[in-house]
Amino acid sequence: MLIIPAIDLKDGKCVRLIQGRMQDETVYSDDPEAVARRWAEAGARLLHVVDLDAAIQGTPRNQGCIRRIIRAAGVPVQVGGGMRDTRAVDACLAMGAHRVVVGTAAAQDLGFVRELCRVHPGSIAVGIDARCGRVATHGWTRTTDIRAVDLGRQVEEAGAAALIFTDIHRDGMQTGPNIGETRRLAESVHIPVIASGGVGTLEHVRALLPLEAVGVIGVITGKALYSGSLRFEDAMALSPEKADFPASSASPRPAGSIDKHSDET
């Protein structure tokens, strides 16, 4: 299982929020590039970068910082936050991002996701951020009636290469990931899932390991690493990484194909 350090950007600084609330921020570094190098040197094989300002405002706000992080890291970097039009996605991939994470736009327009996946096969992941099982958008400021599992299936059919699932109530709380909802999503799709939200200790990482059997290939953690409640080296030792973040494209499921979960009600 991949242990994926998070670098959340706000006003060019590395911060962490509690449950996505912009007013509840803790600044961990004013040098995000150095943070990226630190995790890469410690053995990270993938970094997760989010432009929090863009997630709220809808347009990229920390592009220069993200570009420097990608150059400094020397390992694959996936980037999310404000990826709501083709220009933003194209620009991010052009600056060297390994993968772009689309969130709000995926919940609003499946056609947009389908077109992105056609133009950039294998380079589009979808972030599914949920509150009580329902998808939240616009930097978690709005909650929809869309079930996380339903959106997962829809974007898989549209060609998404992977899903990043975050339980908003757990994010930044360090109370443990939502194992049940993460499993439910992973079992409903055939593409890899990355868990996020709530990891605070080594035991929380250990609790996720059985989910590898249903397609959970990694876990994103931020606050626990920065606060010291979880040592990156310990998490790596607990979960030897045998899988890379998938680089191959995901093909849309043909119409009429049989879904192994088609008997679910």
Side-chain angles (χ1 to χ4, degrees):
M1 183 172 286
L2 292 165
I3 308 300
I4 307 167
I7 301 177
D8 290 354
L9 301 174
K10 184 173 182 287
D11 299 326
K13 299 176 182 179
C14 176
V15 308
R16 292 301 293 170
L17 307 181
I18 296 177
Q19 298 180 340
R21 296 190 295 266
M22 294 291 273
Q23 69 273 23
D24 289 336
E25 73 170 64
T26 300
V27 177
Y28 284 106
S29 175
D30 58 4
D31 188 350
E33 304 99 274
V35 173
R37 285 193 296 269
R38 167 189 167 192
W39 296 130
E41 290 168 359
R45 294 166 68 187
L46 178 69
L47 300 180
H48 180 74
V49 175
V50 177
D51 184 339
L52 295 174
D53 298 303
I56 296 294
Q57 299 174 36
T59 55
R61 296 290 174 175
N62 289 282
Q63 286 179 301
C65 185
I66 292 171
R67 183 180 294 107
R68 291 190 295 273
I69 286 173
I70 292 171
R71 290 175 178 173
V75 298
V77 178
Q78 66 183 22
V79 181
M83 299 295 169
R84 298 175 197 168
D85 58 51
T86 54
R87 180 180 299 180
V89 173
D90 292 347
C92 194
L93 290 171
M95 69 175 69
H98 173 67
R99 189 153 288 166
V100 166
V101 182
V102 178
T104 294
Q108 294 179 322
D109 187 355
L110 281 173
F112 173 66
V113 176
R114 189 172 290 109
E115 179 63 13
L116 286 180
C117 294
R118 184 189 69 80
V119 176
H120 303 292
S123 296
I124 306 300
V126 170
I128 298 181
D129 308 323
R131 184 180 284 115
C132 299
R134 304 289 174 173
V135 175
T137 62
H138 297 85
W140 303 354
T141 61
R142 306 178 194 175
T143 303
T144 72
D145 291 327
I146 304 169
R147 293 197 314 156
V149 166
D150 292 339
L151 181 59
R153 289 172 173 165
Q154 290 166 1
V155 298
E156 177 185 22
E157 291 176 353
L163 304 177
I164 293 100
F165 176 70
T166 303
D167 184 296
I168 295 171
H169 286 308
R170 306 289 182 107
D171 189 74
M173 302 303 291
Q174 299 182 267
T175 54
N178 190 328
I179 300 294
E181 287 298 316
T182 303
R183 175 182 288 277
R184 186 171 293 110
L185 177 63
E187 289 179 338
S188 72
V189 298
H190 303 91
I191 54 177
V193 172
I194 292 176
S196 177
V199 171
T201 68
L202 193 62
E203 288 307 308
H204 293 158
V205 176
R206 193 190 307 277
L208 282 165
L209 296 183
L211 272 61
E212 286 186 285
V214 295
V216 177
I217 67 163
V219 54
I220 295 169
T221 178
K223 186 175 181 179
L225 293 178
Y226 294 107
S227 69
S229 66
L230 174 67
R231 293 183 67 252
F232 182 73
E233 295 78 5
D234 292 342
M236 290 275 287
L238 179 65
S239 176
E241 295 173 357
K242 298 178 182 179
D244 290 308
F245 194 60
S248 60
S249 63
S251 300
R253 187 183 288 115
S257 65
I258 297 175
D259 187 329
K260 70 178 183 179
H261 304 288
S262 60
D263 58 346
E264 292 181 356
T265 57

